[in-house]
Amino acid sequence: MGIRGELRGWFERGRVLAADHPLLADIGVALLVQSAMTMPFLVPRAPGLPPATWAAYGMSTLTVLPLVWRRRAPVAVLFAVLAANLLYRLTVDGPGQPLPYTGLVVVYTVAALSAARERLVTGLVLLVAVPVGVWLNTRSARELTFSLFVFAAAYVFGRLTDARQRAHRVEAEQAAARERARIAREMHDILSHAVSLMIVQAEAGPVAVRAAPERAEAAFDAISAAGRDAMAQLRHMLGVLRDDGAENDGTGPREPQPGLAALPGLLDRVRGSGLDVAYRAVGDVRPVPEGVGATVFRVVQEALTNTLKHADAQAVQVQVTYRTVELEVAVSDDGRGSHAVPRRGGHGLVGIRERAAAHGGGAVAGPGAGGRGFEVRVRIPLPAAAAEVRA
């Protein structure tokens, strides 16, 4: 197992080096092909076979040299290799090769990197070059069949490589799109909640200044606290996008997302806006996975933001129910009911559903009990607990 791991590590380092330095990788491929083509010059030659001369070896090296530029100009390298091989056949009578190594490498490269027109030109050239090469060599149908087969196999492997690379690029783009959507959703939740709290406090400020100055001071404190909390969460979120390695002040990407433990602070900030917020935990209260806790926090945050912005409510109740295989979160208010849902715009409820779906759960939103107020209810499965029950 240790040897396999070491070999895998060497392979990964080599792959990264080749990706970062393609010219160095092409030189390595050329040296590898040259090593394979050197073998017939080293083994003893039977009587009557062409001698292994230095001139013949130099000409064989000339057929390998164009491979150094195979990625930059695949089709040009193909014609250079064909010309060098033809020159080798016509000028020297040296050892032959068991496989057309240089031709196979170039055909694979064209199939993997070139456009459809260049691949078509390559196919037409090979349909002429392969029979001519066999006629100059052995003139046997067996060699012709074998040559066509190996060149076709090299082409197929090149196309498979291109398809795999395309799939990796699509997967990387989709992953980047998902990450951008996640960051946008997080920033929407953070900013929407903070701005809603600020607006509520700012609107209540002038009334409080005239009627109860001490309440005005509390309103300004609440605005300041909401702004500081939003800035801290934004620094944490945007820190994920930084790649300069700069140090952070403790709010960087290594900090965990707020979870269930942060709910009391969130509810206190909302209470500061004048909304009566009640919280209750039901069932066997226990730790949950970090991702589930972060989702619960964001769901409650977004539901309370909608209440502040649209419901015109006096009281809201947040209940977290711990069940055996799932966690249920319910946020209900005594506001304007279904009229609290904005007709246009707004991504709050959509974001709540997406967060629940990301964990395999679901979300419903609508009138509360008895048709009064508005309620958001989210179910999130707990995978570890479900696995224990099945066991």
Side-chain angles (χ1 to χ4, degrees):
M1 187 66 179
I3 297 177
R4 289 177 59 187
E6 187 175 349
L7 290 175
R8 188 180 297 111
W10 277 101
F11 174 78
E12 287 298 324
R13 285 192 290 271
R15 186 178 63 81
V16 172
L17 181 63
D20 294 338
H21 306 280
L23 179 59
L24 186 62
D26 290 341
I27 292 175
V29 170
L31 291 175
L32 183 62
V33 172
Q34 182 63 34
S35 300
M37 296 186 65
T38 302
M39 297 303 172
F41 290 88
L42 299 179
V43 298
R45 307 289 296 168
L49 292 179
T53 63
W54 283 106
Y57 187 73
M59 288 297 299
S60 69
T61 303
L62 186 62
T63 66
V64 177
L65 187 60
L67 294 182
V68 174
W69 296 275
R70 67 186 185 95
R71 297 196 207 196
R72 281 175 283 182
V75 177
V77 170
L78 172 66
F79 283 104
V81 167
L82 291 176
N85 277 284
L86 181 61
L87 185 63
Y88 180 87
R89 279 292 166 202
L90 296 178
T91 58
V92 296
D93 190 15
Q97 298 290 336
L99 284 173
Y101 299 108
T102 53
L104 293 177
V105 172
V106 177
V107 169
Y108 168 85
T109 305
V110 171
L113 302 180
S114 299
R117 176 185 294 181
E118 296 173 337
R119 297 199 303 269
L120 178 61
V121 171
T122 300
L124 296 176
V125 169
L126 290 178
L127 288 178
V128 176
V130 171
V132 170
V134 172
W135 183 82
L136 292 175
N137 190 23
T138 62
R139 303 184 182 181
S140 68
R142 180 178 180 181
E143 183 184 359
L144 177 61
T145 303
F146 177 75
S147 299
L148 291 174
F149 172 78
V150 294
F151 277 110
Y155 182 86
V156 170
F157 282 131
R159 296 308 301 150
L160 291 176
T161 299
D162 177 64
R164 185 172 64 251
Q165 291 173 347
R166 288 175 181 269
H168 288 168
R169 286 194 294 269
V170 170
E171 183 179 355
E173 291 171 358
Q174 291 176 345
R178 289 194 297 269
E179 183 64 13
R180 286 194 297 268
R182 185 191 69 81
I183 293 174
R185 189 166 58 239
E186 295 285 348
M187 293 182 67
H188 167 270
D189 291 350
I190 293 169
L191 292 175
S192 179
H193 179 74
V195 172
S196 297
L197 283 177
M198 291 178 181
I199 291 174
V200 171
Q201 296 290 352
E203 289 176 344
V207 178
V209 167
R210 293 189 296 269
E214 66 281 0
R215 288 185 57 193
E217 183 177 352
F220 291 134
D221 290 340
I223 292 174
S224 176
R228 285 196 300 269
D229 179 69
M231 288 298 298
Q233 294 192 55
L234 286 175
R235 281 198 300 269
H236 169 79
M237 183 60 54
L238 297 178
V240 178
L241 304 179
R242 297 178 60 186
D243 57 359
D244 56 2
E247 295 182 358
N248 55 66
D249 58 357
T251 59
R254 289 182 177 82
E255 274 194 347
Q257 287 280 351
L260 287 173
L263 275 182
L266 172 66
L267 302 183
D268 286 340
R269 289 192 297 273
V270 176
R271 290 188 185 102
S273 67
L275 187 64
D276 181 15
V277 182
Y279 174 69
R280 184 171 65 165
V282 180
D284 181 18
V285 179
R286 59 190 184 277
V288 299
E290 182 179 331
V292 173
T295 296
V296 171
F297 180 89
R298 294 302 184 197
V299 164
V300 173
Q301 183 184 55
E302 183 58 37
L304 292 176
T305 301
N306 287 340
T307 299
L308 289 170
K309 291 170 62 176
H310 308 295
D312 192 21
Q314 300 298 319
V316 62
Q317 178 172 331
V318 179
Q319 178 172 306
V320 179
T321 304
Y322 293 79
R323 295 197 174 94
T324 305
V325 295
E326 70 176 10
L327 196 69
E328 184 179 80
V329 183
V331 181
S332 55
D333 61 54
D334 61 355
R336 293 184 290 119
S338 59
H339 299 289
V341 181
R343 295 183 179 181
R344 294 184 180 180
H347 303 281
L349 295 179
V350 175
I352 289 175
R353 293 189 181 97
E354 289 178 351
R355 290 181 183 279
H359 293 277
V364 293
R372 295 180 301 174
F374 193 77
E375 181 180 61
V376 176
R377 190 175 296 271
V378 176
R379 294 180 301 99
I380 303 176
L382 298 176
E388 291 176 4
V389 170
R390 286 194 298 269

